[in-house]
Amino acid sequence: LQRDAKGQYLFDLLCHHLNLLEKDYFGIRFVDPDKQRHWLEFTKSVVKQMRAQPPFTMCFRVKFYPTDPAALKEEITRYLVFLQIKRDLYHGRLLCKTSDAALLAAYILQAEIGDYDPGKHPEGYSSKFQFFPKHSEKLERKIAEIHKSELSGQAPATSELNFLRKAQTLETYGVDPHPCKDVSGNAAFLAFTPFGFVVLQGNKRVHFIKWNEVTKMKFEGKTFYLYVSQKEEKKIVLTYFAPTPEACKHLWKCGIENQAFYKLEKSSQVRTVSSSNLFFKGSRFRYSGRVAKEVMESSAKIKREPPEIHRAGLVPSRSCPSITHGPRLSSVPRTRRRAVHISIMEGLESLRDSAHSTPVRSASHGDAFAAPGRGGRAESSERVSVIADENYSPADSVLPTPVAEHSLELMLLSRQANGAPCSIEEEKESEAGTP
């Protein structure tokens, strides 16, 4: 990259490589040396935003989840959103009942290995795949049962679309959790979704505020304030405490961008927002992209031959003989490819996850969850990362954005330091003591 290259240049280059036109839903995320997550700002220089030394590690992510993913115009866009939500499920962000979890996993299985074939898929074949942080044999049998009996003949695109339709009905669809504490000191996760602001505690959604009810967001140091105006002139101020001032600022900026994207009618309505009540005091920030309504209108005008999709890790099946499995041919000129160094590191299961295929269980996979140090903290986290009969918790998410294989231990330490619950039993006790 040239030193003065803006974030928009890198993002456009990446979308060109992916042959992606509906790109406004996506962004580039990176983690600074202090383990703080950031979204790359497109109006600023890439190099100036990075505090680390090159080569820079960045992750392509869904930044704004589509309100209705089935309404996306192109299959390539739906496929990339499918990969993100599949990853959310794998990291414990997408909460669901066991019955919903089985159906979602079966859709993934159908999309990736095709129709059930007794010759290729022996007894217990679904146990070889890792759809969730951890799951039971009973759930594995249910996944295989649905895959065998209900999904035969579905092409990958159909299974992915059905997966998206089911996922969007769940309360935690689109959740990107920010760990915080409430005024009583209880651990909570704050998140912004296509429909509004949510607060999760344990495995429950304790607050849901629609975007048109949010009147203001601000922060001071580690403290985040959300001003809400509801029916009958009822006004509420929700207060939460982030682990660090940097985490609080990131939370605030995410909130400003999400509200602008989902609530406004036109990008011309976007205004510069200050973090403080005083004019020119504190941080100032302005969302620089298009809003959801404009994106949908633009998508409707797309007229081109659907781009070919190379589903990495897909096994050919009788139900989809038209899918090709050759190597991905880049559409970026060779000279431009040399100008960019993008290191794709997913941390846990880096090779498998970057290939977008469902992780396959193996000895090394188990090590990835417990390593590097098999201390009590890691074992505790692994023990509770299970889908219960009803729900599992976002607190069991392994990593919001994996950076390197040693980050798990750091995250577990930070979660305990920040007061995040480390077991389901502890969550229930804290809830019982909450006024």
Side-chain angles (χ1 to χ4, degrees):
L1 281 172
Q2 297 295 324
R3 187 166 186 83
D4 60 348
K6 299 285 196 296
Q8 189 69 55
Y9 169 79
L10 177 60
F11 183 68
D12 289 343
L13 194 66
L14 181 53
C15 291
H16 179 65
H17 174 75
L18 295 169
N19 211 353
L20 176 66
L21 294 183
E22 296 175 286
K23 57 188 180 181
D24 300 80
Y25 300 104
F26 303 87
I28 297 176
R29 174 172 273 170
F30 64 94
V31 182
D32 67 22
D34 296 325
K35 307 302 178 186
Q36 175 57 49
R37 297 182 298 165
H38 300 274
W39 287 105
L40 188 71
E41 292 190 41
F42 295 163
T43 58
K44 297 181 179 179
S45 162
V46 175
V47 174
K48 288 183 180 179
Q49 294 182 64
M50 309 300 294
R51 288 169 49 197
Q53 295 297 317
F56 304 130
T57 300
M58 302 184 187
C59 300
F60 185 71
R61 292 278 182 270
V62 173
K63 185 176 184 180
F64 304 112
Y65 286 73
T67 306
D68 180 8
L72 294 169
K73 181 69 179 286
E74 296 202 304
E75 185 183 334
I76 179 66
T77 318
R78 290 193 294 272
Y79 176 60
L80 291 170
V81 174
F82 162 77
L83 293 177
Q84 175 71 63
I85 300 175
K86 183 182 74 168
R87 183 180 181 278
D88 292 346
L89 196 66
Y90 174 58
H91 284 284
R93 293 179 176 188
L94 190 64
L95 311 189
C96 53
K97 295 180 180 179
T98 307
S99 57
D100 293 335
L103 181 58
L104 289 170
Y107 283 137
I108 295 173
L109 209 54
Q110 179 69 21
E112 295 200 357
I113 70 173
D115 290 350
Y116 169 70
D117 185 338
K120 296 179 181 178
H121 308 136
E123 186 69 26
Y125 70 100
S126 66
S127 66
K128 300 294 190 291
F129 298 88
Q130 189 79 23
F131 306 104
F132 315 101
K134 196 171 180 181
H135 44 91
S136 65
E137 292 182 7
K138 181 181 178 181
L139 181 56
E140 289 167 3
R141 289 194 297 269
K142 182 64 176 175
I143 294 168
E145 180 184 323
I146 296 173
H147 178 231
K148 291 176 185 178
S149 60
E150 299 180 26
L151 307 184
S152 181
Q154 282 192 14
T158 304
S159 294
E160 291 158 7
L161 180 57
N162 289 332
F163 174 91
L164 293 175
R165 282 174 170 156
K166 183 62 183 176
Q168 91 172 86
T169 65
L170 303 176
E171 285 188 346
T172 48
Y173 166 73
V175 161
D176 182 18
H178 298 255
C180 291
K181 289 183 180 180
D182 64 16
V183 291
S184 300
N186 299 312
F189 289 91
L190 311 190
F192 309 103
T193 75
F195 313 103
F197 171 83
V198 299
V199 180
L200 301 164
Q201 285 187 314
N203 57 4
K204 297 178 182 178
R205 190 176 74 175
V206 296
H207 285 297
F208 169 64
I209 311 294
K210 295 179 181 178
W211 281 124
N212 59 8
E213 296 175 341
V214 177
T215 58
K216 186 177 181 180
M217 285 174 274
K218 73 171 189 175
F219 80 97
E220 294 175 0
K222 298 181 182 181
T223 310
F224 174 76
Y225 302 94
L226 186 85
Y227 293 78
V228 181
S229 180
Q230 295 181 322
K231 296 178 181 178
E232 301 174 356
E233 298 183 355
K234 183 180 179 182
K235 296 184 178 180
I236 304 171
V237 180
L238 298 178
T239 305
Y240 291 92
F241 305 98
T244 64
E246 292 75 19
C248 199
K249 184 176 182 179
H250 175 63
L251 171 66
W252 174 72
K253 289 169 71 173
C254 287
I256 297 301
E257 291 190 309
N258 275 269
Q259 186 177 31
F261 184 81
Y262 294 114
K263 181 181 177 180
L264 299 182
E265 295 286 319
K266 300 177 182 178
S267 54
S268 59
Q269 296 174 325
V270 174
R271 298 288 180 265
T272 300
V273 181
S274 174
S275 64
S276 175
N277 288 325
L278 300 177
F279 196 63
F280 292 118
K281 177 84 172 176
S283 297
R284 294 170 63 80
F285 181 69
R286 180 186 177 93
Y287 170 59
S288 61
R290 295 190 294 184
V291 300
K293 188 173 181 180
E294 292 174 331
V295 174
M296 291 296 291
E297 291 171 352
S298 176
S299 295
K301 298 175 183 177
I302 294 176
K303 293 180 181 179
R304 65 167 177 174
E305 286 296 314
E308 188 175 15
I309 299 173
H310 296 265
R311 290 174 167 84
L314 183 72
V315 178
S317 76
R318 298 170 189 157
S319 63
C320 51
S322 61
I323 297 292
T324 59
H325 307 280
R328 176 73 164 90
L329 298 177
S330 173
S331 56
V332 181
R334 183 179 298 275
T335 54
R336 294 180 68 191
R337 291 205 303 273
R338 285 176 179 167
V340 182
H341 182 108
I342 303 177
S343 173
I344 307 291
M345 289 181 61
E346 290 294 332
L348 304 179
E349 288 297 318
S350 57
L351 291 177
R352 292 190 182 114
D353 201 24
S354 63
H356 304 312
S357 58
T358 297
V360 180
R361 285 188 178 181
S362 65
S364 62
H365 179 75
D367 291 344
F369 276 87
R374 289 183 174 271
R377 292 186 179 90
E379 290 171 2
S380 172
S381 176
E382 184 176 359
R383 177 176 61 82
V384 300
S385 297
V386 183
I387 292 186
D389 287 339
E390 289 303 321
N391 293 6
Y392 62 99
S393 167
D396 299 332
S397 176
V398 180
L399 278 178
T401 298
V403 201
E405 292 189 3
H406 63 272
S407 300
L408 174 59
E409 188 176 49
L410 294 173
M411 177 58 73
L412 292 170
L413 288 168
S414 67
R415 277 172 51 191
Q416 289 196 338
N418 295 336
C422 293
S423 74
I424 294 172
E425 290 73 25
E426 289 172 357
E427 288 169 9
K428 290 178 178 176
E429 289 172 6
S430 66
E431 287 171 10
T434 302

